[in-house]
Amino acid sequence: MTENTKVAAGVWLIAIAFAFLLPVICSYDKYILHVGITIAFNIALATSMWLIWTLGFISFAHAGFMGIGAYTSALLFTGLGWSLWVNMWLAAAVAGLMAFVISIPLMRTRAVYFFMASWAVGEVIKRVFAYYRGIFGGWDGIFNIQPPKLVLPGLNIDFSSRVAYYYLALVCCGLIVYVIHRIVRSRTGMIYWSIHESEILAQHVGINVLKHKVIAFSTACALAGVTGALYAHYHTYINPKTFDIWQSEFSLVHIIVGGLNTLNGPVLGATLLTVVDELLRPTGWYRVIFFGVVVILTVLFLPGGLETVPARLRALVGKWRKRSD
Amino acid sequence: MALDELTQMTLTGINLGLMYALIAIGLTLIFGIMRIIQYAHGEFYMLGAYVLYYWAAVLKLPYWVGIIVSAAVIFVVGAALQLLLFRPLHGKNILYSLAVSMGLIFIISSGGLLTFGTIVKGIPSVVTGGVMVFGAFYTYERMVISIVSAGLILGLWYFLQRTTTGMAMRAVSQDPEVSSLQGINTRRIHWIAFGMGSAMAAVAGCLMGTLLSIVPTMGFIATVKAFMIVILGGLGSVPGALIGGLIIGFIDSFVTTLVSADVAYIIGFATIFVILAFKPTGLFGQDWD
């Protein structure tokens, strides 16, 4: 087991090093950096959705909370001129607070009902943005959200440059993944998995299930809010369609294809599928069909996702060795 | 509010509500018997409408036969998909059925866009004319559609209450293990229920396709409505789906006419949310795991 953890740590280090060197490797190619930034956003969304999954739920309101973060940050920028550095935290706070308020009635529902109710929440959030033209700009959205500038003594970075924003997205995404990693590895994380395994049993050994559900959901949504703020300041333009159910669906695809059991899964899935998505972009609708086929094949033939491939291969090799002995 | 407007909105509400109920009953049947999330339910609604389109508008064959053909085709497609994709997932976490049906949505709706094209199409109506009711114009077409929807819902109710297969379905939805001990072939019930549920969505698609227009992306909206209704009424409950359908139909009709379609969505979802907050299993639902 320790051997596996060591290998995993090694792979993680190589991946992080590669991510930091990517701008140099691709010789500051703007398109590749854009893909890198998209991957960072997708990883942040998928991992924070996965945090909810550790309690045994799937929330389709996730893109909606990303939207709340994005709109908070965008409105604070266009209305008050505050920069991303402040807005990011406020976006997290607003998204987290909204999630907290909503989750208290929401968490009374279970299984399919929870999934559907969260879906309803996501749709309502989108429709509210679409309906209130005066505040949220309706279906047209909000324009002209500028990336921030960092002015420190001896340091002056303008994040409207692609490379600078790439590092910003990378660091923020890394921090989000690290926070989730720490939560999942802690005692609290074990409590989450126990709720995942059996809610009733968890309740009977004295775990306050509702409290943990509410806190986990709010945390995950706050992290999605930060992602939304970063998204808004990167694209400089947001509209309700961006925070559609589609966004949540794709995050779920990333999690399922990557793997459901550890944090490696969503990271792997989001990275790989975003790259595939970009490669298949010229094929138009066939791209979506491809994703559908991949999801179905994964569920039917590779339950547990891509992260289980090494273990499966090892088992296969072991079997083969035994036979040849 | 004038009387004619009120009548108009009420009639539209009943019309929409019955149609929604038709889609939602299919979904609730599938859920009640298999306990899976059939997220791609609306895609069968879309496919049903296209089968009728090719039958009636392209091949110029008789309309009413077309509806039966469409229902039969979608029955076979649904039953085949159940045997192929959903049977292996039986008894697993609902996430897996959600994922598979999400994959189906991707495949069917994009495949639909590729094969049927993005152009909006219409199915020619066979019933023309109308009648004035309290100053509101009520077309015979809408009347026929309401009657057909209501008839199908009643027919299904009779099927579930009186026939052997129907009773077996109710037994499976109450307790799969005990019913298989009683000699019910649950696997057979599964594919029949899936086929029937999908066929009901297809008929709704045919009726709606005549009334409005058809596009390959219309399936998802039907899924949204069907899920709203099923959650409102309680998963697995047929009367719940009927009442939920009428509630959502009336909200859609009144709010869309008086305010806007976005607000209709917001109010619809808010209603569901409030109901779930007070009764987490919907109006008539049981507590499922």
Side-chain angles (χ1 to χ4, degrees), chain A residues 177-188:
Chain A
V177 173
Y178 183 70
V179 166
I180 292 168
H181 170 77
R182 288 306 297 260
I183 293 175
V184 174
R185 277 301 170 89
S186 67
R187 199 183 121 80
T188 319

Side-chain angles (χ1 to χ4, degrees), chain B residues 50-99:
Chain B
Y50 270 94
V51 171
L52 181 67
Y53 169 77
Y54 280 107
W55 179 274
V58 178
L59 299 173
K60 307 265 184 261
L61 292 165
Y63 177 86
W64 294 106
V65 185
I67 291 188
I68 296 166
V69 169
S70 165
V73 168
I74 301 303
F75 181 90
V76 173
V77 172
L81 284 176
Q82 199 278 326
L83 294 172
L84 205 68
L85 300 178
F86 290 99
R87 170 161 294 172
L89 304 176
H90 186 65
K92 284 192 183 172
N93 194 306
I94 50 161
L95 178 75
Y96 293 106
S97 57
L98 167 66

Side-chain angles (χ1 to χ4, degrees), chain A residues 53 56 58 60 102-103 105-106 108-113 115-117 119-121 123-124 127-128 130-132 139 196 200 245-246 248-250 252-253 256 260 285-286 288-293 295-296 299-300 303-304, chain B residues 31 37 39 84-85 88-89 92-96 98-100 102-104 106-107 110-111 113-114 220 223-224 227-228 231 234-235 259-260 262-263 265-266 269-270 273 276-282 285-289:
Chain A
W53 166 249
I58 278 299
F60 264 20
I102 287 171
S103 67
L106 194 68
R108 278 171 55 87
T109 61
R110 290 173 55 202
V112 192
Y113 288 100
F115 162 72
M116 283 310 306
W119 196 50
V121 170
E123 268 301 297
V124 169
R127 299 277 163 177
V128 166
Y131 181 67
Y132 293 101
W139 287 108
H196 182 121
I200 297 168
I245 227 81
W246 273 84
S248 304
E249 284 182 0
F250 273 101
L252 181 59
V253 171
I256 283 171
L260 292 157
W285 290 110
Y286 288 103
V288 186
I289 296 183
F290 170 81
F291 274 94
V293 173
V295 171
I296 292 178
V299 172
L300 292 181
Chain B
F31 179 83
I37 298 186
Y39 198 38
L84 205 68
L85 300 178
L89 304 176
K92 284 192 183 172
N93 194 306
I94 50 161
L95 178 75
Y96 293 106
L98 167 66
V100 165
M102 208 167 72
L104 275 179
F106 292 169
I107 295 172
S110 315
L113 283 168
L114 287 167
F220 194 71
T223 309
V224 176
F227 268 113
M228 284 166 79
I231 286 292
L235 281 160
V259 196
S260 97
D262 282 325
V263 178
Y265 266 97
I266 295 172
F269 279 122
F273 200 76
L276 283 184
F278 288 103
K279 192 161 183 321
T281 51
Q286 317 169 28
D287 196 2
W288 306 93
D289 273 311

